[in-house]
Amino acid sequence: MKNLLTRGGIEIIAVFIGISGGLWSEKQSELNKIIKSEETALISIKEALVSDSTSVYWIIKSIEKEQENTDLFLKHISKDTVLSEKELNARMWDLAYFQYLVQDKSIYESQIKNAGKKIIQVDSVSAAISNVYDYLYKHLDNIFIMQKELSTKTVEAFTDAGGYMDSKRFSITNSLNIDQSAMFSSSFQNLKFISQLTFHYDTNFFIKRQYERGLKIISSAIESIETYLDSKKWKK
């Protein structure tokens, strides 16, 4: 009887160990999948952020160039410098266009945000990424709207003042035999246009600061991802 009970106890323990081992193996397998998904997602996110940081860097450079053009316009108007009609026309075209960040959130949304489970295991890394995609990029969407309105209003103020811009494909000056010098002189005496040009110049300082701040946030997220991935390699 004692041997029977002993054998029964051993069998129960064996079954318990088998079940526990199976559960541990299943959990470990799931954990390995999450770790692999995490690494894949982080590498993809890092590549996307590096690309975005490069874009933001050149946007900042573009705004700086735009500021130089606006400053030259204002100096020309105040007689502090003299620009040719060709230079004035080219700089007016520069004010009509602007660079902005074309965002691609597909990797973040598919592999992290909408994954249905926690993919990034370290909260600080997850927070750094979320700060970029859920907050910074939404803010830069608003900055894009500001840039668009600023550019549109500046061009409208110029044309409302009687101004026009020759293009490489069509010259209004030559086709209609218009005195371009007189056109610029007249436009630059229009207070609405001068006010808008001044507003354009001042507002771009704010816009530039937003992109500079954004570049720091993106760079910080990249550094956070790289540090974490390097630490995982060391543990291996």
Side-chain angles (χ1 to χ4, degrees):
M1 185 68 176
K2 183 184 289 186
N3 291 338
L4 184 61
L5 289 173
T6 301
R7 188 174 63 185
I10 291 172
E11 289 175 351
I12 291 171
I13 292 172
V15 170
F16 175 76
I17 291 174
I19 293 173
S20 298
L23 291 173
W24 180 88
S25 178
E26 185 177 337
K27 287 183 178 180
Q28 188 63 35
S29 176
E30 181 64 23
L31 179 60
N32 289 337
K33 289 180 181 178
I34 292 175
I35 291 173
K36 183 62 179 177
S37 297
E38 177 191 53
E39 184 176 7
T40 301
L42 286 176
I43 290 173
S44 298
I45 289 292
K46 177 194 163 186
E47 290 175 351
L49 291 179
V50 168
S51 177
D52 286 350
S53 68
T54 301
S55 297
V56 172
Y57 171 82
W58 287 112
I59 289 171
I60 294 170
K61 290 299 179 184
S62 174
I63 295 173
E64 289 175 351
K65 182 64 177 178
E66 189 176 325
Q67 289 296 77
E68 291 177 9
N69 289 332
T70 314
D71 184 53
L72 282 171
F73 257 119
L74 294 172
K75 286 180 178 178
H76 179 89
I77 291 170
S78 61
K79 311 297 184 184
D80 290 329
T81 190
V82 177
L83 299 175
S84 68
E85 286 75 33
K86 184 177 181 180
E87 289 174 316
L88 289 169
N89 187 77
R91 281 167 171 74
M92 195 63 222
W93 274 109
D94 286 341
L95 293 180
Y97 294 98
F98 60 91
Q99 290 187 31
Y100 61 95
L101 181 62
V102 179
Q103 303 172 18
D104 182 4
K105 300 179 181 179
S106 59
I107 295 174
Y108 171 68
E109 291 177 346
S110 64
Q111 297 192 31
I112 297 179
K113 190 174 182 178
N114 300 327
K117 54 190 173 184
K118 183 178 179 181
I119 297 298
I120 311 302
Q121 302 303 301
V122 177
D123 290 341
S124 60
V125 178
S126 178
I129 295 172
S130 176
N131 191 35
V132 171
Y133 285 98
D134 293 332
Y135 300 100
L136 173 63
Y137 284 178
K138 288 181 180 179
H139 176 61
L140 291 183
D141 281 339
N142 294 327
I143 296 300
F144 160 73
I145 294 172
M146 183 181 294
Q147 288 176 278
K148 182 180 179 181
E149 290 180 348
L150 190 65
S151 177
T152 301
K153 288 181 178 180
T154 298
V155 173
E156 286 178 351
F158 179 62
T159 55
D160 287 347
Y164 65 85
M165 295 176 287
D166 284 335
S167 72
K168 293 180 179 179
R169 296 175 180 84
F170 184 78
S171 172
I172 297 174
T173 301
N174 296 332
S175 299
L176 302 180
N177 196 26
I178 296 175
D179 186 342
Q180 192 177 39
S181 178
M183 178 273 292
F184 277 121
S185 296
S186 175
S187 300
F188 291 163
Q189 292 176 26
N190 184 281
L191 293 179
K192 180 181 177 182
F193 173 61
I194 296 174
S195 296
Q196 178 59 34
L197 196 61
T198 304
F199 180 73
H200 192 127
Y201 184 63
D202 288 342
T203 304
N204 256 342
F205 283 105
F206 170 78
I207 291 174
K208 180 170 174 279
R209 285 197 299 271
Q210 303 314 299
Y211 279 108
E212 287 173 336
R213 172 177 169 270
L215 183 57
K216 289 180 180 178
I217 293 173
I218 296 171
S219 298
S220 178
I222 293 171
E223 183 179 357
S224 180
I225 293 172
E226 287 178 338
T227 301
Y228 178 51
L229 289 175
D230 287 343
S231 70
K232 289 181 68 177
K233 289 178 183 178
W234 182 81
K235 287 178 181 179
K236 288 180 181 180

